Amino acid sequence: MITRFLTDVRVKFNPFSPRSKSARIFLSLIPPQARAEGMKIDAKMLPRTSTEPANLELKFKDGKEMKLDLDKMRLPEVMEQVDRHSRQLARKEELLG
Amino acid sequence: MPPRIRLRPRTIVLRVQQQLPHHSHSYASLATATTPSPPIEQTSRFASPVLRFNPAQPPSHKPAEVRKTQLHRQYQSLLKSSPLILLFQHNNVKAIEWMGIRRELAQALKKVDDERTAAGSTDLFGDAIKIQIIQTGIFASALRIVEFYHPVENTSEAPAPAARIPDILPSRDDPRLTHGLSRTAYKAANKKGLQLELDPLLSGPLAVVAFPAVAPEYLKAVLSILFPNPDFKAPTRKTQPSLYEPDVQFGLQKLMLLAARVEGKVFDQAGTRWVGGIAGGIDGLRGQLVAMLQGLGAGITNTLESASRSLYFTVEGRRTMLEEEEKEGNKGEEKKE
């Protein structure tokens, strides 16, 4: 997953829900240096009884915001969505030099 | 296997040889590659029991020499011996950050140890509490066995396993093998329909902190270092300056407390904090219970007494009344006379 264009990651999930797996794995895909390089990561865990769906809010360097409902998505789909925009940004960056 | 020396008096040998023609049959089960079949004269008598594996290493479901089997065994013993386990997710924590986290944790626990020593307590296990990365799949499997497999324990008079299984062939399918790594355990724990409470949590990179006893003081110390919040504040910069090094802080940001397993029950974050907030631990709880019961006892005695007291007053009142009437009656009689 391309993470270098992300500036802000907000995840909210209930760890006891079997559908929150993609949210947890998404967090584990963020590289170790991300926080030191200025990415804001905010993981909020809901109480066990909560039925609120897991969701993910992303901000990219160009200001685009993305909201994903992780409850219904598997991890490859999430990565696909995030990478689609990141690739566009990467191409722009490459063309501008 | 050390060479076996058969010491037999010559007379017995002679007698056995005389009996030979009647009982000359051998056991097919005894003919294995590891142990040659006993000499023909021995088969006529009771064959001495032979254990074909080391009693400390009974045959296991998966090959015993591979790492995952040993980890499985280790996790089972960890789960059985620790009533309180915290489950963390670690997201790409670097080695140097782990080092810092472990150092700070050890320092905080040592402080608790010192406090307890000063208070005169002898139950110190600050050294035994460590954060440990686990292999998630193997841990999940070990947890299934710990939860769902309860072999019937023999009574204390039962001899050692070696003697209990006298002449067992080294087969994994033998139902007499009941240790945690046996095939029996595997089958029992993998039946359909068995669901662990922790199942949805057991995926991704996990680490555990295991406590040898439910000790809220230690839990509080661990939570205040690894997962601080307003209830469990991290030690200040003055008391523990090394905690605020960037390496440690970046590492701690990547740790997430998922759940706790306290004496077989699963708690979420709030529940874990509640356990950590029990003042004085189990002794504190006992004290509260005793105080409550004493209060209750006093109340009950008051209530019970009050009934008898009122009865006493009624009876006493009636008696005085009767006495007065009697006196008046006596006076009247005296006057008449």
Side-chain angles (χ1 to χ4, degrees), chain B:
Chain B
M1 188 182 278
R4 266 185 287 166
I5 305 164
R6 296 197 182 82
L7 293 171
R8 324 177 68 196
R10 187 157 291 215
T11 50
I12 299 174
V13 175
L14 283 173
R15 208 180 54 205
V16 167
Q17 276 172 345
Q18 283 164 5
Q19 288 170 352
L20 248 183
H22 306 289
H23 309 279
S24 60
H25 57 273
S26 67
Y27 296 103
S29 62
L30 295 173
T32 55
T34 49
T35 328
S37 63
I40 199 104
E41 69 263 22
Q42 212 184 37
T43 55
S44 57
R45 296 170 58 229
F46 173 68
S48 63
V50 180
L51 192 68
R52 285 133 201 270
F53 55 83
N54 186 336
Q57 300 168 348
S60 54
H61 172 57
K62 298 265 168 128
E65 62 274 15
V66 294
R67 181 176 150 82
K68 65 175 168 186
T69 313
Q70 294 309 321
L71 277 178
H72 200 281
R73 187 171 55 78
Q74 192 186 325
Y75 292 156
Q76 277 181 38
S77 91
L78 181 82
L79 283 163
K80 280 178 189 163
S81 61
S82 2
L84 172 53
I85 291 180
L86 299 182
L87 202 64
F88 283 90
Q89 178 173 342
H90 60 96
N91 301 321
N92 288 321
V93 183
K94 296 202 290 185
I96 195 159
E97 293 165 350
W98 274 124
M99 208 174 71
I101 291 170
R102 291 202 166 107
R103 181 192 62 213
E104 296 312 314
L105 194 62
Q107 205 173 323
L109 289 169
K110 197 172 172 298
K111 216 171 274 175
V112 180
D113 264 358
D114 292 344
E115 276 170 21
R116 282 177 74 118
T117 321
S121 171
T122 48
D123 297 343
L124 304 175
F125 32 77
D127 294 341
I129 301 167
K130 289 199 170 67
I131 188 160
Q132 180 191 2
I133 296 174
I134 52 166
Q135 299 265 324
T136 311
I138 302 174
F139 188 79
S141 169
L143 185 58
R144 290 186 77 85
I145 287 188
V146 170
E147 290 271 305
F148 300 131
Y149 178 60
H150 304 287
V152 185
E153 292 292 328
N154 282 38
T155 45
S156 56
E157 68 217 49
R164 222 183 329 160
I165 311 169
D167 193 18
I168 198 166
L169 283 170
S171 154
R172 289 167 193 172
D173 292 314
D174 199 308
R176 281 176 293 177
L177 294 167
T178 54
H179 59 288
L181 289 176
S182 63
R183 187 154 284 179
T184 330
Y186 169 79
K187 281 179 186 160
N190 284 282
K191 274 179 197 154
K192 272 184 187 171
L194 294 177
Q195 188 84 26
L196 279 175
E197 239 181 315
L198 274 176
D199 255 345
L201 294 167
L202 293 172
S203 62
L206 294 183
V208 294
V209 183
F211 296 71
V214 184
E217 288 162 332
Y218 287 101
L219 178 59
K220 198 174 176 183
V222 169
L223 284 179
S224 67
I225 294 285
L226 296 181
F227 206 74
N229 88 327
D231 291 342
F232 296 97
K233 281 178 188 154
T236 52
R237 212 178 273 266
K238 267 184 190 170
T239 51
Q240 204 165 331
S242 52
L243 179 65
Y244 291 89
E245 283 173 11
D247 271 344
V248 180
Q249 284 301 313
F250 279 132
L252 289 178
Q253 284 169 1
K254 295 177 201 168
L255 284 183
M256 297 191 299
L257 175 65
L258 294 180
R261 183 175 182 270
V262 186
E263 289 179 346
K265 291 187 189 71
V266 175
F267 288 87
D268 63 351
Q269 275 186 18
T272 314
R273 292 211 174 93
W274 172 73
V275 174
I278 298 171
I282 192 80
D283 292 329
L285 275 186
R286 271 188 205 126
Q288 279 178 25
L289 186 68
V290 167
M292 207 170 78
L293 287 177
Q294 272 173 349
L296 202 70
I300 284 177
T301 41
N302 272 343
T303 323
L304 291 176
E305 265 178 12
S306 69
S308 58
R309 219 176 261 161
S310 63
L311 184 69
Y312 169 78
F313 283 134
T314 323
V315 172
E316 192 66 17
R318 181 71 187 150
R319 195 168 68 86
T320 45
M321 238 166 74
L322 284 174
E323 273 176 5
E324 278 168 14
E325 274 177 18
E326 222 168 81
K327 274 177 193 169
E328 278 170 14
N330 283 344
K331 276 175 193 170
E333 275 173 20
E334 279 168 11
K335 277 175 187 174
K336 273 179 191 174
E337 283 172 1

Side-chain angles (χ1 to χ4, degrees), chain A residues 12-14 17 19 46-54 69 71:
Chain A
K12 198 160 69 173
F13 63 94
N14 171 11
S17 151
R19 288 157 180 260
L46 301 166
R48 191 179 180 181
T49 46
S50 143
T51 48
E52 219 176 309
D69 192 8
D71 240 20

